[in-house]
Amino acid sequence: MARTSTSAGMGIAVTVLGVVAFALFVTSVWLYGNWTGTKEELNNAEASMSEFVRSDERNRDDIRRVADLASQQNQSVVGYFNESYRNVMTRVTGSPADTPEQANERLMGAGVPETGSVLGALRDNANSISTLERRLADAEAARSTAEQDLLSERERVASIRGDFEAQLAAMTGQLEQYRQEVESYRNGINQTEAAMDQRLERVRNDAANNEARLASTVETLQRDLLTAQDTIGKLQAERSRDLLMPTDEYALVDGEVIGLSPADNAVYISLGRKNKIRLGMQFNVYTEPTAIQPNGDGTYAAGKGFIEVIRIEGESALCRILNELPGNPIIRGDVIANPIYDPSKTYTFLVYGNFDVNGDGRSTPLERADLRAQIVEWGGRVTDELSGEVDFLVLGDRPVLPPQPDASAPLEIQQEYIRLNRISRRYDELLDRASSIRLPVLNQNRLQTLLYGR
């Protein structure tokens, strides 16, 4: 029984083992089939996953960080990337469906360099905007200042315009007053011209009458001159012998030597300012009047010496000795003579111009009267016309002629200019006439020398 039980147990065990072995075989076959399918699915999954992430990229740090971020938000890496991509596109281009190529084209169209970053471009734009805002603020401040300046300038211009209009109104009134005065002056000038024309016509008529009368007088005088010349010829023929008779020598004596000054090689003579002698006048010196005798040809013999006036006093004069005969010096009591000196002659002067007689440094026409009085006191004669009787022309300073006034100047100013112009022209005419006829022209200093010997 025991063997039977063992055999049965063995059989059961063998059967169980067989069943188990078969089960294991079936399981193994099933597992192998599942493993093969799983492996094929795994390979397919690996192939599908490689489209999104390759096996060599799975362990990269940046991929792992993205995976951690996706895991924290309970998303897959692809979902995290897709959502982030859409957010970025929305922020960058405004359209979540844009591709990177489209986004790059839009960025380049917006001025972002192809090699530059969006943030860099944004920072540059921000800086540019900030700079533009500062410039805009500066421009606004400048505009505000300019507006204030413009407002001030408008107020200033308005003030100037008001002042100008007031001045213009005043000048307009003054101009109207001037116009009325000019019109009045013009009427006066017209009346004066008419009166002067009438006067000129009368002068012309008088001149014509005088010319006719003078022509008749000249004709009469010419006839009388011919008669007188014939009579003179006859008288000269009859008295020719009397003309050769010498003049009494005492009549030729002009003065005498009254003093000596050996240290100065000079002598004093009895002629002075009252005798009308002049500086530089020369005299022959004779021992006595009888030595003044004419030669056969009518000329007088030379004296013992020759002197020249160098200083004139009231009744005497100092003369330097130009020469004297050796062994026969000039002494007190010698007589002097000058053939052309005539103390009885009255010199005629014409005085014109401005003079400074009182020595105040100002030449005026009023002081001309003082100079004329000095000439008369000296014994001369003064005339206002330049004729053949004039011996000296005395000219002072030329009268000052002011600028010619405008036609709108008052009549009094124009008449004063005409008067001064006439005086200046006469000054020039007298000087030219004296030069042409070789008439001596003296200034005030030379006249003082002639009158007073100084």
Side-chain angles (χ1 to χ4, degrees), residues 57 62 80 88 98 109 119 135 184 222 245 283 288 391 441 445 451:
E57 297 175 343
D62 53 349
Y80 178 79
V88 169
D98 285 344
L119 289 178
R135 291 181 179 177
S184 176
Q222 286 177 345
M245 293 179 62
F283 293 90
E288 56 186 11
D391 298 295
V441 179
N445 292 333
L451 299 182

Side-chain angles (χ1 to χ4, degrees), residues 217-231:
T217 303
V218 167
E219 185 178 356
T220 302
L221 291 176
Q222 286 177 345
R223 290 196 301 267
D224 295 342
L225 178 61
L226 292 176
T227 303
Q229 287 177 346
D230 183 61
T231 303

Side-chain angles (χ1 to χ4, degrees), residues 49-81:
M49 187 174 293
S50 63
E51 295 180 2
F52 300 97
V53 57
R54 295 193 302 270
S55 58
D56 57 342
E57 297 175 343
R58 295 174 186 173
N59 294 323
R60 284 171 46 183
D61 293 338
D62 53 349
I63 299 298
R64 294 305 308 167
R65 284 196 298 272
V66 173
D68 293 339
L69 292 173
S71 175
Q72 291 175 5
Q73 297 184 13
N74 196 23
Q75 291 180 333
S76 65
V77 174
V78 174
Y80 178 79
F81 267 121

Side-chain angles (χ1 to χ4, degrees), residues 264-318:
D264 299 325
N265 191 31
V267 297
Y268 290 94
I269 62 175
S270 61
L271 301 178
R273 186 178 305 115
K274 68 177 183 179
N275 303 108
K276 301 180 183 179
I277 63 173
R278 303 189 304 274
L279 289 178
M281 184 176 290
Q282 297 175 348
F283 293 90
N284 281 302
V285 182
Y286 298 91
T287 304
E288 56 186 11
T290 57
I292 309 175
Q293 293 292 336
N295 296 326
D297 58 358
T299 62
Y300 289 85
K304 62 186 296 186
F306 200 55
I307 60 176
E308 180 183 18
V309 178
I310 59 175
R311 191 177 69 214
I312 303 175
E313 304 295 340
E315 297 182 355
S316 63
L318 180 66

